[in-house]
Amino acid sequence: MKQVWLVILLLVSGTGWSNEREVEIQITSTVFEEKRKVHISLPTGYFDRANQDRRYPVLYLTDARAQMMHTASMVHYLQGGISEMIVVGIETPSRSRDFSPYDVDGQVIVNPAEHSLLNFIRTEVKPLVARRYRTNSFALLSGHSLGGLFTLYSMLTAPELFDVYIALSPAMGWGSKNLLPFIEQHPARLKLDKTLIIATEADTPFEQQIPNFIRLRKSLDAHAGPQLNWQASLYEAEDHMTIAHIGLYDAVRYVFRNWWITGERIKGDKLKFDAHYQGLSDRLGYEVVPEFNEMWGLTNYLVVKAYLEEAEYIVNKWIQYYPHTAEPYAMLSRVFMAKESSQRALEAVNEAIKLSVNDTRQLDRLKRQKDKIQHAL
């Protein structure tokens, strides 16, 4: 479907918002003293009734014009295999000025408040996104090339802004080239409880890209603290442009690894469901709520396979997560019918019908399900 981009000028905090999933926002920035644009792409089910109480991680991108379209479509396609996320693309029209970590003398800007793009993100972009959308505490920053250099710089000087830093083909040989020496001279800045993912290409037009990458990896090997979860990967088959997509794909898959739990893993031990999502929550630092369609797929599998005790337990979890939706009650009715408990099945389908008053197609299906149950009574 063709994407619709709305241009919204934020003049006052009370500006209304459409329910469009793809939005372009123009900010009159006090940091840059000019108008800047950010792009918002919401998860496909963001406006669904089932998700009205859900909060989402946010992936922030630099170079929005180049990176937003392929990233947002990939992230939303992968939902269920990774967390659903809000994607925020920040336009950076003057790349060398916006991304440079160096002052006029070529030295690293140590105070992040003195870096315009970092200050813009911290004081204007992130507060705007938190105010306007249902975000949780988990945030990622991804940048490519000069944006990758900026991502590394951001982690070193403002680590509190993000939980995950993804540097794709970081241009460490650009400008004064002082970021690598800065890292080597300040190893304490690598003692972080963060995730850092670096990816660079073997097929590169930049003579110093691979030597700089190896040098950075050696610094991480030598000085990274035990809490810094880092990866630095050289992609033999990729070039400077393809790494922006492939590297990011692998990064988000890694961050949200082991996202899905199968019915076979739960069979015989329903509490593995709780342990799985508690483990994800502990690792990521926020409460991970299974996606609505994940719950449908899991419970449907358990019912089809006649793992009925497990199915009943998981359906009740589904109701707990999404109490205002009909589908889990309809599934609970199927569970009770399979357990030959027709009266309880009838009660469950009646609850589903109550919650489906505005959905004619679903209501018709549930009424047919109710007829079958009444016939069995």
Side-chain angles (χ1 to χ4, degrees):
M1 183 177 70
K2 184 177 180 180
Q3 294 178 327
V4 179
W5 293 89
L6 299 181
V7 180
I8 301 175
L9 179 60
L10 296 178
L11 297 177
V12 293
S13 61
T15 301
W17 288 70
S18 167
N19 67 346
E20 295 290 344
R21 287 185 49 240
E22 313 291 340
V23 181
E24 181 182 290
I25 306 168
Q26 185 167 269
I27 303 173
T28 301
S29 172
T30 57
V31 173
F32 283 110
E33 298 183 340
E34 63 185 23
K35 293 178 180 178
R36 285 292 179 112
K37 290 180 181 178
V38 295
H39 302 259
I40 311 292
S41 182
L42 300 175
T44 55
Y46 183 87
F47 294 106
D48 292 353
R49 183 183 179 190
N51 295 320
Q52 62 186 5
D53 298 323
R54 289 198 66 191
R55 293 188 169 273
Y56 299 88
V58 184
L59 171 62
Y60 291 85
L61 301 169
T62 57
D63 281 322
R65 291 179 184 175
Q67 306 300 333
M68 186 67 182
M69 185 174 292
H70 79 90
T71 298
S73 61
M74 174 182 69
V75 165
H76 300 324
Y77 175 78
L78 289 175
Q79 66 183 44
I82 65 170
S83 175
E84 293 177 289
M85 283 190 283
I86 297 169
V87 181
V88 176
I90 303 165
E91 286 199 12
T92 39
S94 178
R95 298 180 75 249
S96 59
R97 180 190 69 177
D98 289 349
F99 290 141
S100 176
Y102 309 123
D103 61 21
V104 293
D105 297 321
Q107 300 305 307
V108 173
I109 302 170
V110 178
N111 183 357
E114 296 176 0
H115 191 284
S116 295
L117 183 56
L118 260 183
N119 205 22
F120 175 61
I121 292 170
R122 179 177 60 83
T123 64
E124 297 184 296
V125 178
K126 288 194 74 180
L128 180 150
V129 173
R131 185 170 64 247
R132 297 294 176 172
Y133 296 104
R134 301 191 309 273
T135 65
N136 65 24
S137 62
F138 196 74
L140 308 86
L141 174 66
S142 177
H144 170 245
S145 194
L146 283 176
L149 178 69
F150 170 76
T151 298
L152 284 174
Y153 166 75
S154 300
M155 189 193 77
L156 296 168
T157 58
E160 73 283 355
L161 285 182
F162 301 96
D163 301 280
V164 177
Y165 293 82
I166 303 170
L168 306 168
S169 189
M172 293 171 287
W174 178 85
S176 67
K177 308 176 180 61
N178 275 332
L179 192 64
L180 276 171
F182 178 80
I183 294 171
E184 293 162 351
Q185 293 160 16
H186 300 87
R189 291 180 181 267
L190 297 176
K191 314 298 185 187
L192 299 169
D193 184 11
K194 299 291 175 180
T195 294
L196 170 64
I197 301 172
I198 305 162
T200 201
E201 72 283 359
D203 182 10
T204 183
F206 307 112
E207 183 179 355
Q208 292 302 309
Q209 183 69 15
I210 295 174
N212 284 337
F213 169 79
I214 293 170
R215 182 177 170 185
L216 174 59
R217 192 161 59 185
K218 286 180 178 178
S219 288
L220 288 162
D221 272 328
H223 303 298
Q227 290 185 300
L228 181 63
N229 176 21
W230 66 275
Q231 291 187 342
S233 303
L234 180 65
Y235 285 67
E236 294 291 345
E238 305 305 331
D239 61 37
H240 186 64
M241 300 310 294
T242 61
I243 197 69
H245 187 83
I246 299 301
L248 184 55
Y249 173 92
D250 287 346
V252 296
R253 290 282 289 142
Y254 173 74
V255 170
F256 299 108
R257 61 194 178 277
N258 303 322
W259 193 253
W260 177 254
I261 186 167
T262 65
E264 288 300 316
R265 285 179 58 195
I266 294 171
K267 180 179 68 173
D269 188 355
K270 59 193 178 187
L271 295 181
K272 284 184 178 178
F273 175 87
D274 301 291
H276 176 80
Y277 284 101
Q278 187 60 55
L280 286 176
S281 299
D282 291 344
R283 176 162 62 81
L284 295 170
Y286 67 92
E287 183 186 4
V288 174
V289 175
E291 185 211 359
F292 190 86
N293 288 333
E294 288 181 37
M295 297 299 290
W296 184 91
L298 179 59
T299 53
N300 184 68
Y301 179 89
L302 294 170
V303 172
V304 169
K305 290 291 188 178
Y307 303 150
L308 299 181
E309 293 304 318
E310 294 87 342
E312 183 177 351
Y313 182 79
I314 303 304
V315 170
N316 280 310
K317 289 286 183 178
W318 190 8
I319 292 170
Q320 178 183 327
Y321 292 135
Y322 299 95
H324 308 299
T325 57
E327 288 87 343
Y329 287 100
M331 189 70 73
L332 185 60
S333 177
R334 286 179 57 193
V335 172
F336 287 139
M337 282 298 290
K339 297 178 77 170
E340 299 182 351
S341 182
S342 300
Q343 185 59 45
R344 296 182 73 187
L346 184 61
E347 292 169 2
V349 80
N350 280 336
E351 189 63 31
I353 288 170
K354 282 185 200 177
L355 293 167
S356 300
V357 291
N358 296 319
D359 189 332
T360 303
R361 290 181 61 186
Q362 183 166 257
L363 200 56
D364 289 342
R365 176 175 58 80
L366 291 170
K367 286 179 177 178
R368 291 194 298 271
Q369 187 172 334
K370 180 177 179 178
D371 289 341
K372 291 180 182 178
I373 296 168
Q374 288 178 321
H375 183 73
L377 284 170

